[in-house]
């Protein structure tokens, strides 16, 4: 493939998915078609985001979602188009979205017999759109456990993260990338606007064992657990042997912060605080898919004590503390959190 910047071997997302179908002997193309439609929805949302300053799509929509957060117009747009794209596949029987209180059932004949359910945060970090900061979509896919041919139910979604068959995110930034895993490594695809296709750009992503970036909202420092405060001080100490101090980088969009740390090495932290003693990020829509990707790339993810993927979900919109990143940095952090009383909000 020849572009304005040179020549590169072209492998599109669809070609790559088809090539990897053999990784799933139980599948007969359903998962491939589902992932294809995720890519289609991502292109639609990407186009709207790129025009955000030119059309009436910026700002709050005047509603509050189940999380008690102001809904942005682009949240609604992304939620609608991902649901529409997945409904069209007939390979998904239900969707759980951060924006909706209840699951969305696809109850027509073909969809009711589908194998998969889909969890998503349709537009992570959408409040940053107004100031032109990168945002993203996070998703995960599970095989249903309810009987095929019947309506899906809540049990299909309340599965531990170890049961995910695929997870990924789309980052809408200076370029648009789709990164996903099916448990066979992590691969990234960059949208080539000249042909309108996601093309393989980051094959077999591996995160560095040790990074030099820590990402946390330091404005909440006074309310963090003692162990997190101690780890932050550890990151700031001058120690040439361990390449400290580390750099503090925080965007406020999980997808953006995690994507940077995944590629460069680092740690992302969202601990409990006095305002959110149970944590802020959602287990199903954010933590599980990001943790799956992190582990497949050689990283780790925990709530400070437990592996994220082992945590049994208790409700659709469950929140937890979340730490994810390079394995050596995670080990250091958990050493500080392991001290008695050092993982509870100050």
């Amino acid at each position: 493939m020849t572009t304005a910047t040179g020549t590169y071997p072209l492998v599109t997302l669809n070609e790559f998915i088809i090539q990897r179908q053999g990784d799933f002997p139980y599948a007969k193309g359903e998962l491939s078609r589902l992932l294809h439609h995720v890519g289609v929805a991502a292109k639609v949302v990407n186009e709207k985001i790129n025009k955000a300053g030119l059309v009436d799509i910026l700002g709050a929509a005047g509603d509050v979602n189940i999380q008690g957060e102001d809904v942005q117009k682009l949240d609604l747009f992304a939620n609608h188009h991902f649901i529409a794209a997945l409904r069209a596949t007939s390979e998904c029987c239900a969707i759980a979205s951060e924006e909706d209180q209840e699951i969305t059932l696809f109850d027509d004949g073909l969809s009711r017999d589908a194998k998969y359910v889909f969890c998503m945060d349709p537009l992570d970090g959408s409040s940053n759109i107004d100031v032109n900061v990168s945002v993203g979509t996070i998703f995960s896919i599970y095989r249903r456990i309810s009987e095929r041919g019947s309506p899906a139910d809540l049990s299909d979604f309340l599965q531990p993260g170890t049961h995910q068959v695929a997870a990924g995110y789309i980052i809408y930034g200076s370029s648009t990338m789709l990164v996903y895993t099916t448990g066979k490594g992590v691969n990234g695809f960059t949208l080539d606007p000249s042909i309108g296709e996601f093309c393989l750009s980051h094959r077999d992503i591996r995160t560095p064992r040790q990074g030099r970036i820590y990402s946390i909202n330091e404005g909440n420092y006074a309310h963090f657990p003692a162990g997190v405060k101690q780890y932050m001080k550890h990151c700031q100490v001058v120690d040439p042997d361990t390449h400290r101090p580390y750099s503090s980088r925080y965007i406020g969009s999980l997808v953006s912060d995690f994507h940077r740390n995944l590629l460069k090495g680092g740690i992302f932290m969202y601990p409990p605080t006095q305002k959110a003693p149970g944590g802020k990020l959602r287990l199903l829509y954010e933590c599980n898919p990001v943790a799956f990707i992190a582990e497949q790339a050689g990283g780790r993810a925990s709530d400070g004590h437990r592996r994220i993927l082992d945590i049994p979900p208790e409700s659709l919109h469950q929140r937890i503390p979340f730490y994810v990143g390079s394995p050596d940095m995670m080990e250091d952090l958990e050493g500080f959190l392991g001290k008695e009383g050092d993982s509870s909000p100050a």
Side-chain angles (χ1 to χ4, degrees):
M1 175 69 185
T2 302
T3 68
T5 57
T7 302
Y8 62 89
L10 178 67
V11 178
T12 68
L13 174 64
N14 291 341
E15 290 170 339
F16 187 85
I17 290 170
I18 292 170
Q19 290 170 9
R20 294 297 182 96
Q21 268 188 191
D23 290 342
F24 299 93
Y26 60 80
K28 296 180 174 62
E30 299 97 335
L31 183 60
S32 298
R33 288 191 290 273
L34 193 52
L35 289 168
H36 163 73
H37 279 76
V38 170
V40 171
K43 293 176 192 177
V44 174
V45 173
N46 175 71
E47 183 181 13
K48 186 64 70 172
I49 288 173
N50 285 342
K51 295 179 179 178
L54 304 175
V55 297
D56 185 26
I57 200 70
L58 293 174
D63 297 323
V64 175
N65 66 13
I66 184 61
Q67 316 297 335
E69 301 160 342
D70 289 336
V71 176
Q72 305 295 312
K73 293 176 183 177
L74 269 171
D75 284 319
L76 298 178
F77 180 88
N79 196 49
H80 169 78
H81 280 279
F82 270 95
I83 290 175
L86 295 167
R87 187 188 298 274
T89 69
S90 298
E91 307 298 351
C92 175
C93 61
I95 291 178
S97 169
E98 181 196 349
E99 298 303 323
D100 298 322
Q101 182 170 359
E102 306 293 341
I103 62 176
T104 298
L105 295 175
F106 297 157
D107 212 19
D108 60 72
L110 290 175
S111 294
R112 183 182 286 202
D113 197 46
K115 291 181 179 179
Y116 300 106
V117 297
F118 192 89
C119 298
M120 67 174 176
D121 180 350
L123 205 62
D124 169 69
S126 58
S127 60
N128 286 326
I129 282 283
D130 289 4
V131 290
N132 206 22
V133 172
S134 298
V135 294
T137 298
I138 309 173
F139 66 90
S140 63
I141 301 170
Y142 294 81
R143 294 185 77 186
R144 68 184 299 178
I145 57 178
S146 60
E147 184 178 354
R148 292 177 64 182
S150 63
D153 59 44
L154 192 58
S155 68
D156 293 312
F157 295 92
L158 300 186
Q159 302 184 57
T162 50
H163 291 189
Q164 293 173 101
V165 297
Y169 61 84
I170 302 102
I171 181 168
Y172 311 100
S174 54
S175 61
T176 296
M177 278 190 67
L178 188 154
V179 177
Y180 86 97
T181 183
T182 55
K184 303 287 185 178
V186 180
N187 292 280
F189 302 79
T190 300
L191 183 62
D192 185 336
S194 68
I195 60 173
E197 293 286 352
F198 282 102
C199 300
L200 181 61
S201 55
H202 296 66
R203 185 186 291 272
D204 194 22
I205 296 171
R206 303 295 296 174
T207 198
R209 285 200 60 84
Q210 175 68 44
R212 301 184 188 180
I213 298 170
Y214 70 98
S215 308
I216 191 169
N217 184 354
E218 297 197 49
N220 289 327
Y221 178 86
H223 306 296
F224 289 153
V228 173
K229 292 178 180 178
Q230 292 164 10
Y231 178 72
M232 291 171 66
K233 293 301 182 184
H234 167 80
C235 293
Q236 296 161 2
V237 168
V238 176
D239 182 0
D241 290 340
T242 57
H243 306 288
R244 287 181 288 155
Y246 301 147
S247 297
S248 175
R249 298 285 185 270
Y250 185 72
I251 298 169
S253 165
L254 171 60
V255 167
S256 301
D257 281 308
F258 174 71
H259 180 71
R260 178 199 56 237
N261 293 355
L262 176 71
L263 298 181
K264 293 190 172 184
I267 188 169
F268 174 89
M269 298 174 280
Y270 211 118
T273 62
Q274 289 178 333
K275 282 184 65 176
K280 179 79 181 294
L281 298 182
R282 273 68 57 159
L283 175 59
L284 290 184
Y285 313 115
E286 296 165 315
C287 303
N288 269 342
V290 169
F292 189 23
I293 295 165
E295 288 195 4
Q296 286 295 311
R300 289 180 53 201
S302 80
D303 67 352
H305 303 286
R306 298 173 294 175
R307 178 190 181 210
I308 291 296
L309 299 183
D310 290 334
I311 298 175
E314 298 173 359
S315 63
L316 207 56
H317 300 286
Q318 179 180 349
R319 299 175 188 256
I320 60 169
F322 188 52
Y323 309 94
V324 61
S326 296
D328 289 352
M329 300 181 80
M330 286 291 294
E331 183 176 347
D332 289 342
L333 168 68
E334 289 169 352
F336 286 101
L337 293 178
K339 300 173 184 177
E340 186 176 355
D342 281 356
S343 60
S344 299

